[in-house]
Structures are given as C-alpha cells and as structure tokens.
Amino acid sequence: MQESHTVGQKDLEAIAERVVYLLSQDKRDRASVVLLEGDMGAGKTTFTQILAKYLGVVENVNSPTFILKKEYKTPHNNFRKVVHIDAYRFTHPKESKVLRLEDNLEDRDTIVVIEWPSKMNYIKADIRLSFEVIDDDTREVTLVYEKDI
Ligand code: ADP
Ligand code: MG
C-alpha cells in the first residue's frame, strides 16, 4: 500500500497517527521498523519528534547525528519505546553494528525509526516514509506500508 500527502509541518501529526495506526494493526513478535528517506532538511528528524510526541514522549527529541542512536520511553499502550537512529555517518552497513540493534529489533513494544536507511540496507521496513521538499513549508510525504491490506 502506498499513499502520498502534501503537508505542512502541523499536518505531520496526522501522518504520525496514521503510522501508529497501521503498525497497531499487526501483532508482531519483534519491533516495528519505520524508515525515513529524503534529503538533508526534508523533515525526517522533525517527523520523528512529532511521532515521539504523539506517543507521549515528553523529553526533547534531538537529531541523533552525532550520538547515532537514542532511546525514548513512552506512556503509550502498544509502543513503549521509540529508538531513533541516524545512519548518515556510516559509509558501510557493517559500521552500523556498533548500534547494537539486536535487542531493540527483538522487542515487540518498540518502534525503531531510522534516518538515512540506505546506510543500513539489511534492515527490513514495516513502513517507509519519504520526504520531498515542495517549498519552505511544504513536503510531499510518501508512505509505503510493506504489507498488502
Ligand atoms: P532532516 O532530518 O530530514 O535532515 P529536519 O527535520 O532536521 O530534516 O529539518 C526539516 C526542516 O524543515 C525543519 O527546520 C522544519 O521545521 C522545516 N519544515 C518546514 N516545513 C516542514 C514540513 N511540512 N515537514 C517537515 N519539516 C518542515
Ligand atoms: Mg535528521
């Protein structure tokens, strides 16, 4: 399933809601994986912040570019944790082993969100979102749900 939305920043919450809804439809025995594609400044980190807020995270969600991986606990019933990864600095998928994602990926209560997923091409997505800049305030967001419904 694929859908595109032309959105302002305040509309990203509706997309976050849609993502959580779609992920909630399936009972997984592992983490849910959301991959965020798009150029620098397209809105990947902004979307992650809005998704985390939607799930009830109160901490500020910052770009993990230099930290690479950050974990946030949520008070949400289905998804207890958001793991935010920025793979931009990796030049080879092997380098991302330092993230120690195995436990995160096994945890069915976690949503793993990855910016620059092409640097970690061995990770399978449940949802892919790609962000394209239309103008200063507007993005085209394409959502691909990797399952036929
Ligand atoms: P990325 O993580 O993809 O490099 P960021 O989320 O850090 O991008 O930056 C996106 C920038 O674009 C932010 O300053 C954000 O406020 C701005 N922006 C403006 N309109 C939108 C929109 N509709 N969706 C997402 N970001 C937007
Ligand atoms: Mg970013």
Side-chain angles (χ1 to χ4, degrees):
M1 185 208 76
Q2 174 166 334
E3 59 195 39
S4 286
H5 306 271
T6 303
V7 297
Q9 195 162 316
K10 64 171 172 23
D11 305 315
L12 291 181
E13 188 181 341
I15 298 196
E17 184 179 4
R18 178 100 178 109
V19 165
V20 171
Y21 168 77
L22 288 170
L23 294 176
S24 301
Q25 296 308 296
D26 253 340
K27 276 239 176 291
R28 290 180 188 73
D29 54 5
R30 54 168 180 81
S32 298
V33 177
V34 178
L35 305 184
L36 305 182
E37 291 159 350
D39 293 341
M40 195 75 79
K44 303 179 293 298
T45 300
T46 303
F47 174 77
T48 309
Q49 289 164 339
I50 288 167
L51 175 69
K53 195 167 168 207
Y54 176 76
L55 291 170
V57 172
V58 285
E59 278 168 272
N60 280 331
V61 173
N62 300 312
S63 173
T65 302
F66 297 102
I67 305 153
L68 306 175
K69 169 172 129 176
K70 284 203 74 177
E71 300 191 4
Y72 303 91
K73 289 219 163 71
T74 90
H76 194 270
N77 285 335
N78 294 351
F79 299 108
R80 311 298 302 191
K81 200 193 268 185
V82 176
V83 177
H84 184 198
I85 292 158
D86 189 328
Y88 181 71
R89 279 150 54 93
F90 298 132
T91 50
H92 192 282
K94 257 195 206 158
E95 294 171 11
S96 62
K97 299 286 185 230
V98 300
L99 295 172
R100 304 213 153 278
L101 270 186
E102 297 81 0
D103 289 352
N104 295 133
L105 289 171
E106 278 174 16
D107 178 10
R108 65 201 302 264
D109 296 333
T110 288
I111 299 184
V112 177
V113 179
I114 305 180
E115 297 187 41
W116 300 101
S118 58
K119 305 289 186 80
M120 298 173 66
N121 55 9
Y122 55 92
I123 302 261
K124 236 182 85 41
D126 296 299
I127 288 180
R128 278 189 291 129
L129 290 178
S130 62
F131 293 80
E132 197 190 329
V133 178
I134 304 297
D135 64 29
D136 280 358
D137 304 318
T138 316
R139 305 291 185 264
E140 176 155 298
V141 182
T142 301
L143 185 160
V144 178
Y145 184 51
E146 299 284 4
K147 193 176 173 232
D148 298 325
I149 49 171

